[in-house]
């Protein structure tokens, strides 16, 4: 198989070649981590990488896939962490480490968590500079861990954002809110964002895919060949 035939014609060639170099440099440490079934065609989470989100719901959803598969996950800088919401999405609280306040030592705290946990969700207390991000990026690659950042981050494998969120439940003004429908947009490099409609759960179900809002990702990480 030639290199050209292995590339996805729907995605920028330069982005795909950069991904291939990253995979080669990272070697076997860049293995994929489980994600919730509703997210499998939207984003692939790989060890050694960082991923940005713009909401608590998306941060919990990314952590839930790894947690449900038996991995330990941690949350740093999240004083109002919602344990009930996390458990509803599939986060196993028995394998969860929470550091509500990190203060000025957020970088050291997060690095320590990355050393011992497969996935760490960070809510930075302030704007993050490229040097600080580089320190954690190097630690992630060394430990084969994943960082999910709720907020801005200089370099990310992918960024997930919520669009057009609305609650569903009351009928003619009566009843209670049951689920939240939203559109997830995944931005990766210079490629156009990929979107899909999902439903965030009530107490009896997990995140579910409603319908694709755009063509799904054929292969978030092209097969080598």
């Amino acid at each position: 198989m030639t290199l050209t035939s292995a590339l996805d014609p729907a995605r920028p060639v330069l982005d795909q070649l950069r991904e291939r170099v990253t995979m080669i440099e990272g070697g076997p440490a860049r293995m994929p981590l489980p994600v919730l079934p509703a997210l499998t065609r939207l984003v692939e989470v790989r060890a050694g990488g960082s991923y940005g989100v713009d909401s608590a719901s998306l941060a919990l959803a990314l952590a839930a896939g790894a947690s449900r598969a038996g991995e330990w996950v941690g949350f740093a800088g999240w004083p109002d962490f919602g344990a009930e919401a996390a458990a509803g999405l599939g986060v196993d609280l028995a394998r969860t480490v929470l550091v509500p306040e990190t203060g000025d030592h957020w970088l050291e705290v997060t690095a320590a968590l990355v050393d011992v946990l497969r996935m760490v969700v960070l809510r930075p207390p302030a704007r993050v500079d490229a040097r600080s991000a580089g320190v954690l990026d190097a630690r992630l690659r060394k430990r084969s861990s994943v960082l999910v950042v709720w907020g801005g981050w200089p370099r990310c494998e992918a960024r997930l954002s919520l669009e057009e969120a609305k609650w569903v439940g009351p009928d003619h003004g009566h009843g209670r809110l049951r689920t939240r429908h939203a559109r997830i947009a995944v931005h990766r490099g210079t490629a156009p964002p990929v979107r899909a409609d999902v439903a965030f759960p009530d107490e009896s179900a997990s995140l579910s895919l409603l319908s694709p809002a755009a063509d799904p990702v054929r292969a978030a990480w092209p097969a080598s060949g």
Side-chain angles (χ1 to χ4, degrees):
M1 180 182 292
T2 66
L3 176 61
T4 303
S5 63
L7 295 177
D8 183 351
R11 299 180 58 219
V13 172
L14 185 57
D15 285 350
Q16 296 182 66
L17 293 178
R18 284 172 177 163
E19 290 168 2
R20 285 174 173 271
V21 171
T22 301
M23 290 177 67
I24 293 171
E25 291 177 342
R30 302 242 57 195
M31 296 296 291
L33 268 70
V35 297
L36 294 178
L39 301 179
T40 54
R41 303 184 73 186
L42 281 172
V43 63
E44 188 169 22
V45 174
R46 284 190 174 261
S50 55
Y51 299 81
V53 298
D54 69 350
S55 68
S57 298
L58 287 175
L60 293 175
L62 282 185
S67 182
R68 288 175 61 177
E71 301 287 359
W72 278 79
V73 299
F75 297 86
W78 200 330
D80 55 348
F81 175 79
E84 185 176 352
L89 277 166
V91 175
D92 185 346
L93 299 180
R95 291 193 302 272
T96 298
V97 176
L98 174 62
V99 183
E101 301 282 358
T102 58
D104 296 334
H105 301 289
W106 67 269
L107 182 61
E108 293 84 354
V109 171
T110 306
L113 292 175
V114 165
D115 280 347
V116 295
L117 303 176
R118 175 64 71 173
M119 177 178 286
V120 176
V121 180
L122 169 66
R123 192 176 180 183
R127 184 177 179 274
V128 179
D129 57 58
R131 186 197 67 81
S132 298
V135 170
L136 282 180
D137 286 341
R139 189 69 64 92
L140 292 171
R141 291 190 294 269
K142 182 178 180 180
R143 299 298 185 183
S144 296
S145 300
V146 172
L147 180 68
V148 176
V149 182
W150 178 8
W153 197 254
R155 295 178 294 271
C156 286
E157 305 271 345
R159 298 181 185 275
L160 288 72
S161 59
L162 280 186
E163 302 176 346
E164 303 179 21
K166 63 181 180 180
W167 285 94
V168 177
D171 184 18
H172 302 294
H174 299 281
R176 64 187 181 89
L177 299 174
R178 294 193 302 270
T179 61
R180 182 163 57 114
H181 292 183
R183 178 163 294 176
I184 297 179
V186 180
H187 303 260
R188 191 182 182 90
T190 59
V194 177
R195 295 178 170 88
D197 295 324
V198 299
F200 285 89
D202 56 17
E203 65 277 5
S204 62
S206 184
L207 184 72
S208 58
L209 184 67
L210 295 175
S211 60
D215 290 337
V217 179
R218 292 191 182 92
W221 290 76
S224 59

